[in-house]
Amino acid sequence: MTLAEPKVPTRSPLRHRVRGRILMLLCILYAVSYLDRTAISTAAPSIRADLHLSDTQFGLALAAYSLPYALLQVFGGWIGDRFGPRKVLSILAVAWGLSTLWTGLATGLLALGAARLMLGLSEGAAFPTATRAMSTWLPSDRRGYGQGVVHSAARLGAAIAPLIMAGLIATLGWRVGFVALGVLSVIWSIAWARRFRDRPQDDKRVSATELGELGTQHADEAPGTTSAVERRKVPWRRLVRRIAPVTLVDFCYGWMLWVYLTWLPSFFQDEYGLALAGFALFTSLVLSAGVLSDTLGGMLSDRLLARTRSLRTARRTNLVIGLAGSMLALIPSLLVHNLVVVTISLTLSFFFLELTNSVLWAIPMDIAPDHAGVASGLMNTGFGVAGIVSPIVFGFLIDQTGNWQLPFALSVALLAAGTLLSLRVDPRPLDPEPAPPSATPS
């Protein structure tokens, strides 16, 4: 059976709609989560010195975050689908807030690794569950844009984390920063529980016009009832087969992103002798490129979808341009030892890399909007596995060779592989399961 392309409606408004406020709450969630994740890279030199850790040991502590993060992606997405984003995200935000606070109390490798393990455990289900919320609240023509906006907020959190942590480290010490970030996560949890509802029709602020824009299934369902979507079984075999190429692309993307999030401050310190304020500033400059490109990638993909009416063209184009551009932009950093040139190279590489992020998260909603939590969990398992492998391998190669060229060269090779794998991605919706034959009376 031929897979049909979806009908693409005109662009749906976000202003003067409740969904716009929901998107803003999710933006804050993504920013806070990346503040929590990225702060440790800025604090890395202080933590390694205070806790007497080698690069390899610190890489193991970083990887402890990604082990449960990777393993819980699919299960976490299923939990979000089953129990709803309101309850699940409220609990998770409190849990990772406490884990972040625990990081600030660590006294050795074991305690630090345990804190990062708990953070990965609590954040593992967050983005798949948030994707389920967006699948319910955003019209199909806004999926790429919505994912772009929230991930731009995540990159904003990653970009300002070095500056915030550097200021706190210089004045109060690295431990205070993690305590403050933990409290911030708990505050968000309270706001989310108060303002969000799992179904738009259960929110009194949502008008009939907005429900109509979201789809007839939302308008027709009575409040308090279990929808057909919630009762529908997950088509595991077909879903895994279709998501698998996206997962592999996400691994290649994730490898490079983890390099930026975990090793960039140490790279600027080791290679160019920058002090705390210097490497924090240069790290922020590089990561700020993602604030623009995440939203831009989602907007370009949605507009290409509206123009071509082809999901394959709209999603694949962004993936190929983003990963290939990131690979080419990274090459000068292998050949030149100049702070300005290398910073420009890394910034351009990160800009192109992040053009792909919103598209990677939009594709699971395209393929299986009714099971967006599970589908995005399957996809983001690639990112989680990359988070396990990347910090350990990177730290090991640095310890063994004493230079950064080899791990960066490996990153170039993985970006090339991701570019080729992007051509195998098929984002079109799954065909519905054939209805079972009805029994005929004898």
Side-chain angles (χ1 to χ4, degrees), residues 5 28 43 49 74 78 86 110 131 140 157 165 174-175 203 228 235 316 333 343 346-347 368 392 406 437 442:
E5 298 283 1
I28 297 172
V74 178
W78 179 84
R86 181 170 181 256
L110 184 60
T131 296
S140 60
M165 283 301 294
W174 63 271
R175 297 182 184 276
D203 193 322
R316 283 179 182 177
S333 67
T343 300
L346 291 171
T347 302
I392 294 176
L406 181 58
S442 56

Side-chain angles (χ1 to χ4, degrees), residues 32 42 60 71 126 186 212 229 255 260 266 269-270 274 279 282 308 335 344 359 362 375 381 384 396 399 420 435-436:
V32 171
T42 304
L60 288 170
L71 295 176
V186 175
V229 168
W255 169 282
Y260 280 103
S266 297
Q269 183 192 49
D270 292 350
L274 298 181
F279 69 67
F282 276 90
T308 65
L335 307 175
I344 293 173
V359 175
T381 298
F396 176 78
D399 276 343
L420 296 176

